[in-house]
């Protein structure tokens, strides 16, 4: 089962019952009872995207195996020790100034953001010629290629987010125009297009004025680019065969590594650039990016092979470092935890090889190794199991997580209380814990609110301490064990559904998950 290390005695296939979902491997573009004392909670309703869409990463967590304790009267919870949301917002505002973070982010012309629904890049609305349909959660790799291309070329566009089949229904308005339901889709000058390769070509040719839109495929390197496109598909095929197969693990590993050696060699030959072409960043990098990103995560988790940061493929490491410091890719790339749980429902399953390296990696990526999601957190750098190719700034990372929590705390509290619900969803989707139809246990909303205010206060500390102070008796001294148990279940539920990049970047997600665990340990 996804998220649990299997016995070393047999191969384990991580599946999600996703037979009806579109596989990456086969298509290129799929795709109030009780009394609780509550103090000082102001009203704000702009969290992430919206409450029902909050955090849909799949994860068979330990919390899903625990008995839910419900239908009990909630013992009074004392929230007087937790700062009010209004006070927390004031602290966050001061920290934004310290870190030169603007109070309001320009989603239309500012930095790349998963929350953008319209991008003008300083142009007028009349100049928007592209409407882009992509998946809500940021799981689809083919949507990612189109997204990256639009951002790098700075083509004005609007966005409409559509569910992938593995985590929700598609609206009839979309299916009317795209009966297959495939993603990505764009409409350029009123013409609807599917297939990511077709879309990429159209964007490059229709927006070819280099004075306004930088070329992503230089004519003088077209032949080399085509060779590299074929190499990317070869690597993709080798990855799919190994990741989803349960026979001849050693041979599949050798075949994949040989092809990755070839990729590393190709990168070594571009002496004037860290990218695939000598001229610099191009459509080749855009095509490789989503898959090298997912290969690094999935093969470590399911096969125990470390790619990124292993130093075996130094030119690939250098490519990751340069890509991860591009303003576009830095805000679009996901983290290992999200990928290893979003791939099985798309592919129909991934196979663990049960080596010790694989078991250890699975435990670490899931935050179950006693270190990865526990305070004090180890440093995050290019040598980490999941490398960070920029200088870590823990205070700023904690601030990013707190800002997202503050932006829609009321809905987040209700969402988390799904973890304490004993009522099964009336309708399930193939991604196990992507349960958009789940209902929260309303008995514990106020208690969870108190706990989340404590978490936010910990995230906003500025004393550079590794361990937050003053977090004892999070719910007060009168909270019953039943209440504490259900609040713990709620925080676990929230922890395992933090999605990158949709909700925040990887370093911030790591901070939020570890601080939620710290609060759980004090309940």
């Amino acid at each position: 089962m996804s998220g649990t290390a299997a016995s070393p005695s047999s191969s384990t296939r991580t599946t999600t019952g996703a037979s009806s979902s579109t596989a990456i491997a086969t298509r290129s573009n799929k795709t109030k009872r009780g009394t609780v004392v509550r103090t000082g909670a102001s009203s704000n309703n702009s969290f992430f995207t919206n409450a029902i869409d909050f955090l849909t990463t799949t994860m068979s967590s330990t919390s899903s195996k625990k008995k839910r304790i419900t239908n009990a009267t909630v013992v009074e919870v004392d929230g007087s020790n937790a700062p009010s949301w209004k006070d927390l917002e004031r602290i966050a505002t001061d920290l934004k100034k310290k870190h030169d973070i603007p109070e309001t982010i320009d989603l239309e012309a500012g930095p790349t953001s998963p929350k953008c629904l319209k991008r003008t890049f300083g142009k007028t609305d009349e100049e928007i010629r592209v409407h882009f349909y992509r998946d809500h959660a940021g799981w689809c790799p083919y949507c990612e290629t189109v997204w990256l291309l639009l951002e790098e070329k700075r083509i004005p566009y609007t966005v409409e987010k559509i569910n992938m089949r593995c985590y929700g229904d598609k609206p009839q308005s979309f299916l009317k125009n795209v009966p297959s339901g495939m993603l990505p889709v764009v409409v350029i000058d009123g013409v609807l297009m599917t297939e990511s390769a077709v879309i990429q070509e159209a964007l490059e040719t229709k927006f070819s004025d280099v004075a306004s839109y930088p070329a992503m495929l230089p004519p003088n390197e077209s032949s080399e680019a085509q060779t590299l496109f074929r190499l990317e598909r070869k690597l993709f095929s080798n990855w799919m065969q190994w990741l989803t197969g349960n026979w001849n693990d050693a041979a599949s590993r050798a075949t994949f590594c040989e092809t990755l050696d070839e990729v590393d060699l190709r990168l070594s030959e571009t002496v004037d650039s860290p990218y695939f072409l000598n001229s610099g960043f191009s459509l080749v990098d855009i095509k490789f990016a989503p898959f090298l990103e997912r290969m690094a995560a999935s093969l470590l988790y399911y096969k125990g092979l470390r790619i990124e940061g292993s130093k075996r493929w130094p030119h690939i490491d250098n490519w990751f470092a340069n890509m991860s410091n591009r303003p576009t890719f830095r805000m679009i790339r996901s983290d290992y935890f999200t990928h290893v749980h979003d791939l099985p429902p798309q592919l129909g399953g991934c196979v663990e090889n049960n080596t010790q390296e694989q078991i250890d990696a699975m435990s670490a990526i899931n935050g179950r190794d006693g270190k990865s999601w526990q305070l004090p957190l180890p440093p995050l750098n290019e040598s980490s199991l999941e490398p960070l190719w920029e200088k870590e700034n823990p205070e700023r990372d904690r601030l990013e997580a707190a800002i997202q929590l503050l932006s829609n705390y009321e809905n987040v509290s209700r969402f988390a209380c799904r973890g304490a619900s004993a009522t099964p969803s009336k309708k399930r989707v193939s991604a196990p814990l992507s349960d958009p139809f789940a209902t929260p246990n309303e008995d514990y909303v106020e208690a969870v609110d108190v706990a989340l205010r404590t978490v936010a206060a910990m995230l906003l500390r500025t004393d550079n301490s590794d361990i937050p102070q003053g977090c004892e008796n999070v719910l007060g001294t009168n909270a019953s064990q039943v209440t504490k148990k259900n609040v713990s279940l709620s925080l676990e539920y929230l922890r395992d559904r933090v999605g990158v990049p949709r909700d925040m970047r990887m370093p911030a997600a790591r901070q939020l998950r570890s601080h939620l665990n710290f609060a759980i340990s004090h309940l």
Side-chain angles (χ1 to χ4, degrees):
M1 179 173 287
S2 170
T4 57
S7 166
S9 62
S10 63
S11 293
T12 304
R13 185 175 183 86
T14 301
T15 61
T16 59
S19 59
S20 63
S21 66
T22 305
I24 290 178
T26 56
R27 292 191 184 180
S28 66
N29 44 6
K30 307 314 184 228
T31 261
K32 201 155 134 178
R33 295 192 305 265
T35 303
V36 179
V37 176
R38 182 187 185 192
T39 64
S42 62
S43 178
N44 190 331
N45 191 31
S46 59
F47 189 65
F48 302 166
T49 309
N50 61 57
I52 199 67
D53 187 43
F54 173 62
L55 307 169
T56 53
T57 302
T58 65
M59 170 69 179
S60 252
S61 69
T62 54
S63 65
S64 67
K65 299 177 181 178
K66 296 176 182 176
K67 182 178 180 181
R68 266 60 173 176
I69 305 171
T70 56
N71 299 321
T73 301
V74 180
V75 175
E76 184 173 295
V77 171
D78 180 8
S80 61
N81 291 327
S84 69
W85 289 112
K86 190 167 292 186
D87 287 340
L88 291 165
E89 287 167 353
R90 282 194 289 265
I91 297 170
T93 297
D94 290 340
L95 281 173
K96 286 180 183 179
K97 295 175 183 176
K98 176 181 177 180
H99 291 280
D100 295 322
I101 299 173
E103 188 61 35
T104 302
I105 303 297
D106 185 353
L107 294 177
E108 294 188 12
T112 302
S113 170
K115 299 169 182 60
C116 296
L117 295 178
K118 181 170 70 173
R119 296 288 274 162
T120 62
F121 301 106
K123 296 181 171 62
T124 65
D125 285 1
E126 289 70 26
E127 294 176 272
I128 299 175
R129 299 164 51 193
V130 178
H131 188 66
F132 175 34
Y133 296 89
R134 70 170 181 88
D135 68 303
H136 270 282
W139 291 0
C140 172
Y142 299 99
C143 292
E144 185 175 334
T145 64
V146 175
W147 189 7
L148 264 173
L149 184 57
L150 287 165
E151 288 290 318
E152 288 285 347
K153 289 181 73 71
R154 297 177 65 83
I155 298 171
Y157 66 97
T158 52
V159 178
E160 191 167 339
K161 297 177 183 178
I162 304 295
N163 288 333
M164 297 180 77
R165 287 195 178 94
C166 60
Y167 63 76
D169 297 328
K170 296 179 185 288
Q172 286 301 313
S173 58
F174 177 74
L175 292 173
K176 181 179 179 180
N177 293 317
V178 188
S180 67
M182 294 191 302
L183 293 169
V185 174
V186 300
V187 177
I188 305 177
D189 298 329
V191 179
L192 186 145
M193 300 179 185
T194 61
E195 300 290 341
S196 58
V198 173
I199 294 169
Q200 292 158 14
E201 182 180 0
L203 291 173
E204 187 67 3
T205 56
K206 292 179 180 294
F207 297 88
S208 58
D209 178 6
V210 294
S212 301
Y213 310 106
M216 290 292 117
L217 196 58
N220 63 327
E221 293 181 288
S222 179
S223 177
E224 177 66 10
Q226 294 302 322
T227 299
L228 289 164
F229 292 157
R230 290 191 290 272
L231 177 59
E232 186 272 327
R233 288 293 86 184
K234 176 183 176 183
L235 184 67
F236 174 89
S237 178
N238 295 159
W239 170 51
M240 282 291 97
Q241 182 174 354
W242 187 21
L243 180 64
T244 62
N246 59 1
W247 58 278
N248 210 340
D249 183 76
S252 295
R253 178 189 181 109
T255 299
F256 175 83
C257 289
E258 286 172 6
T259 306
L260 200 60
D261 288 340
E262 188 177 349
V263 173
D264 193 71
L265 177 62
R266 287 284 186 170
L267 282 166
S268 73
E269 294 171 347
T270 54
V271 294
D272 297 327
S273 163
Y275 301 110
F276 280 97
L277 295 182
N278 265 312
S279 59
F281 181 84
S282 72
L283 185 58
V284 179
D285 301 287
I286 289 173
K287 283 181 177 286
F288 268 94
F291 298 105
L292 281 174
E293 176 188 343
R294 285 159 176 78
M295 290 170 193
S298 62
L299 293 181
L300 178 60
Y301 185 90
Y302 291 105
K303 305 296 183 181
L305 175 69
R306 188 178 180 191
I307 298 174
E308 187 180 8
S310 69
K311 296 182 172 59
R312 173 175 173 176
W313 296 283
H315 300 95
I316 292 177
D317 279 349
N318 188 46
W319 178 87
F320 267 119
N322 281 273
M323 285 292 295
S324 297
N325 281 285
R326 295 187 73 84
T328 52
F329 188 66
R330 183 168 63 237
M331 298 304 296
I332 289 175
R333 85 166 289 182
S334 189
D335 70 341
Y336 286 8
F337 177 81
T338 301
H339 278 323
V340 301
H341 296 295
D342 73 40
L343 282 168
Q346 296 179 71
L347 302 175
C350 299
V351 180
E352 304 152 14
N353 66 4
N354 298 311
T355 62
Q356 191 59 51
E357 292 83 358
Q358 179 269 317
I359 293 170
D360 290 346
M362 173 178 278
S363 178
I365 292 170
N366 281 338
R368 305 297 190 264
D369 61 345
K371 297 180 295 184
S372 299
W373 293 0
Q374 299 293 329
L375 297 179
L377 286 169
L380 194 57
N381 51 47
E382 62 187 37
S383 298
S384 300
L385 187 68
E386 181 172 2
L388 180 68
W389 300 100
E390 60 191 80
K391 183 175 176 58
E392 184 187 19
N393 188 333
E395 185 176 290
R396 186 183 176 106
D397 296 334
R398 293 196 303 269
L399 175 58
E400 180 184 344
I403 289 170
Q404 299 307 317
L405 186 54
L406 283 161
S407 66
N408 196 19
Y409 54 82
E410 290 181 338
N411 285 324
V412 176
S413 296
R414 293 192 72 255
F415 174 88
C417 285
R418 293 175 175 187
S421 177
T423 305
S425 297
K426 294 181 180 180
K427 181 177 180 180
R428 302 292 297 180
V429 293
S430 60
L433 294 189
S434 295
D435 45 2
F437 306 101
T439 56
N441 187 333
E442 300 283 352
D443 286 347
Y444 299 97
V445 171
E446 303 292 343
V448 169
D449 175 89
V450 171
L452 288 179
R453 281 188 277 143
T454 303
V455 169
M458 291 191 290
L459 289 167
L460 291 169
R461 71 186 185 279
T462 58
D463 57 6
N464 293 319
S465 58
D466 291 331
I467 299 291
Q469 301 301 313
C471 300
E472 297 78 11
N473 297 321
V474 171
L475 302 179
T477 57
N478 294 324
S480 70
Q481 290 302 312
V482 171
T483 297
K484 291 178 180 180
K485 184 69 172 179
N486 279 287
V487 172
S488 292
L489 291 171
S490 299
L491 298 186
E492 289 175 2
Y493 185 91
L494 178 62
R495 176 200 65 201
D496 292 339
R497 286 161 180 80
V498 178
V500 178
R502 180 197 53 218
D503 306 320
M504 60 195 71
R505 296 178 62 232
M506 180 269 281
R510 177 175 176 258
Q511 291 286 349
L512 178 55
R513 291 162 181 158
S514 64
H515 282 75
L516 286 167
N517 271 340
F518 190 75
I520 291 166
S521 71
H522 283 75
L523 287 170

